[in-house]
Amino acid sequence: MKVINNIIEWLVQTGLLSVLAIFLLRQLKPVLDNKAEHASTEQSKALWTLLEQVADMAVTSLVSQDKSGREKFDEASMIVNNVMKKQGYKLDSKTIHTAVQSAYEKSELTPTVNAKEGTSNDK
């Protein structure tokens, strides 16, 4: 036990322990930064997936209502904003509008257009 204490004391007194700690931190920093970046990317993907699902549900819930397109869009945006706030996410209006617009374009509210014939077909 005394030998171990002497070795540790020698490492501290010579500064070798500090050099070793700095060396290890420099070696581990890129790995830790990469892990943090990966976690951030995964969190962003999960948030966007949630946002898309909420926007799809909001738009789908308004398909059969007798309102103008702009009224449906505004209401869907409001629904998405409220749901995301309840989940603890504060998003800017541009992001919410982008998600609602994307959901609207995928919904039954938007007819498909056949480029060859120039006719419009419902989905």
Side-chain angles (χ1 to χ4, degrees):
M1 189 64 136
K2 186 175 182 177
V3 174
I4 294 173
N5 281 341
N6 288 339
I7 291 172
I8 293 173
E9 186 177 324
W10 177 78
L11 287 172
V12 170
Q13 287 178 354
T14 60
L16 192 57
L17 189 61
S18 299
V19 171
L20 183 61
I22 291 170
F23 175 76
L24 288 175
L25 285 174
R26 287 190 179 170
Q27 296 301 315
L28 290 176
K29 188 173 183 342
V31 174
L32 295 175
D33 288 345
N34 188 24
K35 293 280 186 187
E37 184 178 327
H38 178 70
S40 176
T41 301
E42 289 299 316
Q43 186 179 17
S44 294
K45 285 180 187 177
L47 175 60
W48 188 256
T49 300
L50 174 64
L51 179 61
E52 286 179 330
Q53 290 172 348
V54 170
D56 286 341
M57 287 188 286
V59 168
T60 302
S61 71
L62 299 172
V63 168
S64 62
Q65 290 190 4
D66 188 27
K67 295 181 178 181
S68 71
R70 185 66 197 175
E71 289 173 331
K72 290 179 182 179
F73 183 85
D74 290 342
E75 187 172 343
S77 296
M78 185 182 67
I79 291 169
V80 170
N81 188 31
N82 290 339
V83 169
M84 296 306 285
K85 276 185 181 177
K86 285 180 183 176
Q87 293 297 319
Y89 300 107
K90 185 174 182 190
L91 303 173
D92 63 358
S93 61
K94 184 177 180 182
T95 303
I96 292 171
H97 290 169
T98 300
V100 171
Q101 182 66 33
S102 174
Y104 175 77
E105 290 172 2
K106 292 186 277 183
S107 76
E108 297 172 8
L109 295 172
T110 306
T112 58
V113 176
N114 187 338
K116 291 180 182 178
E117 297 174 15
T119 59
S120 155
N121 302 321
D122 288 337
K123 285 187 178 178

